[in-house]
Amino acid sequence: MNKKEPTLDSAYIYRGKVVTLRKDTVLLPNGRKGEREIVEHPGAVAVVPVTAEGKIIFVKQYRKPLEQETIEIPAGKLDRGEGPEKCALRELQEEIGFLGKLEYKFSYFTTPGFSDEIMHLFIARDLEQSYLACDEDEFIEKLEVSPSEALHMIMKGEIKDAKTIIGIFTFLQEGHRQ
Amino acid sequence: MNKKEPTLDSAYIYRGKVVTLRKDTVLLPNGRKGEREIVEHPGAVAVVPVTAEGKIIFVKQYRKPLEQETIEIPAGKLDRGEGPEKCALRELQEEIGFLGKLEYKFSYFTTPGFSDEIMHLFIARDLEQSYLACDEDEFIEKLEVSPSEALHMIMKGEIKDAKTIIGIFTFLQEGHRQ
């Protein structure tokens, strides 16, 4: 069975700053027509910043879609033409005011059911305070947590952001538990 | 500093089958106005189905937003008024044709930057073939993989779906490695 879904028609519904929404009419494998609502996204990076003591630096951020503050690892969207590594260093600088040495881990899709957003995951070590100030528009608070405490925070529902959960598990997987 | 972002104005741009898009104008902590594009989502469940041999059952699915097939754990959106547990049992039945005993793990937000989608994660054990047929519209292929092989598949980029990565790590975290 051909598993592809050829596009019969495609129309843009909205082109925004973060979200662009498109509706495709596709041919399903059973010969019927289907509709696919697709959120186009420029792609993003997430970085697990690890201190010399082996703690992870998180940021607290107000997330309007959730109407609550969340605990997350530094992350952000790729600027046009920007590579993932450059973006990761920029976000590290803007969100926590550090420079660091990046290790690329893997890339994944955040929500394949309705979006093409790809997330590139890095671990950052050898952190050094940057002389540039943090981005003033980001309104961010920092906290440092041990990996084992971070794991408890996932299980207790205190850390509830997908990229942060993946970042913590990936770091723990390397055997850096403490 | 007040970290909330009070809504000054809110307008729906699109109400679709899967995706509803809203644009909020908010008051930022610095007193300026900002815009927030928000994808409203009904919420979803993801289930790690574990066989008697300790293998995880995955499904292969064509994902139009990515124009590729992905390897995922069974998952799906909540129907209106449907609880997460009922939804998890339904998706298990529709996608892999099994009934099972659910263990709730935790809930998380898939993409807090632009969506309110919440995902409820379960592990399913004591699987039993269901007498009802799978959902014909889902065009799904199954595969069984050991947790350690699943971990390799994440690191090699063969498994690249966020909920599936979180499901595998959560199952491994329980100490069911083999």
Side-chain angles (χ1 to χ4, degrees), chain A residues 9-26:
Chain A
D9 190 41
S10 183
Y12 279 90
I13 290 163
Y14 177 75
R15 292 175 195 263
K17 269 201 320 185
V18 176
V19 168
T20 290
L21 181 61
R22 190 178 95 216
K23 185 155 80 173
D24 285 2
T25 306
V26 300

Side-chain angles (χ1 to χ4, degrees), chain A residues 66-81:
Chain A
L66 314 179
E67 296 290 11
Q68 61 182 265
E69 223 176 41
T70 55
I71 296 169
E72 303 184 18
I73 52 176
K77 287 185 302 293
L78 295 170
D79 281 342
R80 191 185 296 266

